[in-house]
């Protein structure tokens, strides 16, 4: 199968690498010049659970010309519309587009560029890091849940599931993937924004009673808003999932901490807590904690001179 | 007049110095050993708008023995009960006690130790800094508003006002001081907690639209809760006052930033936003922004290992 990875950061490199090794034709797309040059010159280097190096093509999105069978979207949330515009020329009538971005509301953006019958929404718990340009750190295992947003698209989506599973990506077709997308957004909404603001690891933040009040209130707001939009969400189950994730990932700084504190880059807050705050406003559901943390993260972006 | 300064940090040193120079018998009380030893050895050194050095007595609170005419309370909010216990032996039947602490709710604590007829509540916009142990930086001017909490106490309070004015402290007897105390708490509640969390100056924080949403929501919560407790507060006037203060103090890190970020000390958050949150809960008035910022500041204290 011919596959573009649209957004080839850490996660894009993981998926691109595994699909390439499974025999697919894979092209990485990205805009980070040092990363592109490193991979063009030295190939994509894999480290972590195993060491490898593969000669895999990488180019700017607008340089892609050949229509694809599958495009996997792995940009940062705010880069999604630009990416979709940049790759218009390779979106054919039957090109499937799988969205694995963090956060909420991407479906509405993608629908502006892709017919519904070709859109697959998904969520993954795979992780990955970048050691530097061209070097991906791949550790541990993960999984993917995905669903065609067109109810008639299940059969064709199953073909995509097979291709991804042949690459060891541990994918399940999920007849109701939206709750899982919300659940992951809720994990991000409780630990990314907070640890970025407090400049601490997940474990350090979750260690105090006061922090847990923040966590529980944010979960409550996500659940209230999600349910009002018709998504089935169990507050107790999501709380257990968040607490379990916090325990497993205690040593880590979440990605928003890396963006804001370590690299002084804009965050995805508008697609996580910010998305719930906006949706809450539309539906008349109070979401003061999501509002305030979104405002505080944006204020910090402003203080750092990146907004 | 015989005066104890109960809590001789920067502001206590300013008041102690000015009252001493005006001919009063002044004793500084504090628990910071380096500060005590420096003043015992070298006197209290004044720098800033003028240079001076005075031999003024300083001791631990529990070492004070002689009943006072006036005690001015200038501790950190959380140190107030311990201070009142430590100086019980110098509180006579006619000892006036003037509270100039930042924050809300101190009156309730003081009433447990001092008869109402002797309690004066006040608020000041004087400022001061410490360059190190025994060295106070005094710049610019300020003023004090104060009021006896016993309506019959005005006449005796006027005597205190005179003594303070002879020391150039620019004091007014205020027939309704509580709104000014709330107004100052609101200044602290919009800039101290936020700049401590965001690690920035007042001007840096107030520069973004997102930060101003936080500021306006916190002001609104202060006003709603204050009014419900019977304090006359004008939201527009307080907003103008906060914005003006932020402009004048734009270059400064507020005291809570000094405590939390610079010195890793516990903050006064429970007496500022935390006090409004608790009072709001009692009265059934939602104060989510005050709650959340209190929780986030406490969580950060915990992350820093000081809570």
């Amino acid at each position: 199968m011919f596959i573009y990875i649209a957004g080839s950061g850490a996660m894009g490199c993981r998926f691109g690498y595994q699909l390439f090794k499974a025999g697919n034709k894979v092209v990485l797309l990205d805009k980070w010049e040092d990363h592109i040059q490193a991979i063009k010159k030295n190939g994509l280097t894999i480290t972590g659970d195993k060491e490898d190096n593969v000669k895999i093509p990488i180019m700017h999105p607008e340089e892609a010309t050949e229509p694809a069978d599958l495009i996997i979207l792995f940009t940062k949330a705010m880069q999604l519309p630009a990416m979709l515009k940049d790759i218009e020329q390779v979106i054919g009538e039957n090109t499937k587009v799988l969205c694995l971005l963090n956060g909420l509301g991407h479906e509405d953006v993608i629908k502006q560029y892709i017919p519904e019958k070709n859109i697959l929404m998904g969520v993954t718990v795979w992780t990955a890091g970048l050691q530097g340009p061209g070097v991906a750190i791949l550790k541990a295992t993960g999984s993917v849940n995905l669903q065609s947003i067109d109810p008639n698209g299940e059969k064709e989506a199953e073909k995509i599931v097979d291709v991804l599973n042949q690459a060891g990506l541990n994918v399940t077709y999920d007849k109701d993937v939206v709750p899982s997308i919300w659940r992951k957004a809720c994990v991000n909404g409780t630990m990314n924004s907070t640890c970025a603001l407090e400049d601490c690891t997940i474990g350090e933040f979750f260690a105090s009673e006061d922090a847990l009040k923040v966590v529980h209130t944010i979960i409550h707001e996500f659940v209230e808003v999600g349910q009002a939009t018709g998504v089935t969400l169990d507050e107790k189950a999501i709380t257990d999932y968040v607490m379990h994730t916090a325990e497993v990932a205690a040593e880590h700084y979440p990605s928003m901490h890396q963006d804001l504190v370590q690299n002084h880059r804009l965050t995805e807050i508008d697609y996580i807590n910010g998305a719930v705050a906006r949706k809450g406003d539309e539906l008349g559901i109070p979401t003061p904690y999501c509002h305030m943390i979104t405002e505080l993260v944006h204020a910090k972006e402003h203080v750092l001179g990146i907004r």
Side-chain angles (χ1 to χ4, degrees), chain A:
Chain A
M1 191 170 263
F2 181 30
I3 303 164
Y4 284 109
I5 307 292
S8 300
M11 288 294 285
C13 283
R14 172 186 276 286
F15 276 63
Y17 168 71
Q18 291 191 216
L19 287 162
F20 178 85
K21 291 291 275 191
N24 297 286
K25 182 175 168 188
V26 175
V27 175
L28 306 179
L29 303 177
D30 211 78
K31 292 190 165 187
W32 180 19
E33 204 51 46
D34 290 352
H35 193 49
I36 293 170
Q37 291 313 320
I39 293 174
K40 279 190 174 170
K41 196 174 157 206
N42 308 318
L44 171 63
T45 302
I46 302 300
T47 184
D49 289 343
K50 66 182 221 174
E51 307 290 318
D52 199 0
N53 181 278
V54 290
K55 279 281 168 199
I56 186 169
I58 183 164
M59 58 184 69
H60 280 265
E62 58 272 31
E63 291 168 356
T65 52
E66 195 179 337
D69 300 312
L70 172 64
I71 298 169
I72 303 181
L73 298 171
F74 254 135
T75 62
K76 287 275 174 194
M78 49 281 197
Q79 298 159 348
L80 180 60
M83 175 61 83
L84 287 166
K85 265 182 221 126
D86 285 343
I87 58 171
E88 263 179 334
Q89 69 285 357
V90 298
I91 300 168
E93 207 174 303
N94 295 309
T95 305
K96 300 292 173 202
V97 174
L98 168 59
C99 174
L100 290 175
L101 272 64
N102 272 334
L104 299 168
H106 304 311
E107 194 177 316
D108 298 336
V109 176
I110 299 170
K111 279 180 186 167
Q112 296 169 32
Y113 298 86
I114 315 285
E116 294 200 17
K117 75 175 180 65
N118 287 336
I119 302 175
L120 311 173
M121 294 305 294
V123 58
T124 179
V125 294
W126 285 100
T127 60
L130 283 183
Q131 193 170 289
V135 184
I137 311 166
L138 308 187
K139 288 184 188 168
T141 62
S143 62
V144 179
N145 281 30
L146 65 79
Q147 182 183 22
S148 165
I149 70 167
D150 178 347
N152 299 320
E154 181 170 347
K155 204 163 170 191
E156 283 198 59
E158 288 286 8
K159 289 183 208 162
I160 304 293
V161 170
D162 287 344
V163 169
L164 297 172
N165 275 331
Q166 281 156 28
L169 285 162
N170 198 12
V171 182
T172 307
Y173 189 85
D174 187 333
K175 285 177 193 295
D176 190 14
V177 80
V178 180
S180 300
I181 293 174
W182 274 77
R183 189 176 66 168
K184 188 175 183 192
C186 195
V187 169
N188 294 141
T190 49
M191 48 192 80
N192 279 33
S193 36
T194 50
C195 292
L197 258 187
E198 302 256 320
D199 189 7
C200 64
T201 63
I202 294 165
E204 284 169 345
F205 184 68
F206 274 67
S208 72
E209 284 303 313
D210 286 287
L212 292 181
K213 286 182 200 166
V214 174
V215 167
H216 291 307
T217 310
I218 290 175
I219 292 174
H220 184 71
E221 291 180 1
F222 268 72
V223 169
E224 291 277 302
V225 171
Q227 284 176 337
T229 64
V231 185
T232 306
L233 297 172
D234 175 340
E235 187 161 343
K236 168 79 171 63
I238 289 190
T239 303
D240 290 346
Y241 184 76
V242 166
M243 298 307 290
H244 174 73
T245 307
E247 219 176 291
V248 174
E251 306 284 304
H252 291 85
Y253 290 98
S255 60
M256 199 180 288
H257 184 280
Q258 297 170 26
D259 288 338
L260 188 69
V261 181
Q262 299 174 34
N263 300 311
H264 292 192
R265 283 195 299 241
L266 287 174
T267 70
E268 297 184 311
I269 190 80
D270 282 334
Y271 304 88
I272 303 173
N273 304 83
V276 171
R278 282 194 308 279
K279 191 57 90 175
D281 287 350
E282 275 172 46
L283 298 167
I285 296 168
T287 55
Y289 274 48
C290 282
H291 267 288
M292 188 182 200
I293 202 139
T294 302
E295 288 153 12
L296 287 172
V297 168
H298 280 324
K300 182 74 184 180
E301 291 168 343
H302 198 276
V303 165
L304 293 170
I306 54 177
R307 192 181 171 81

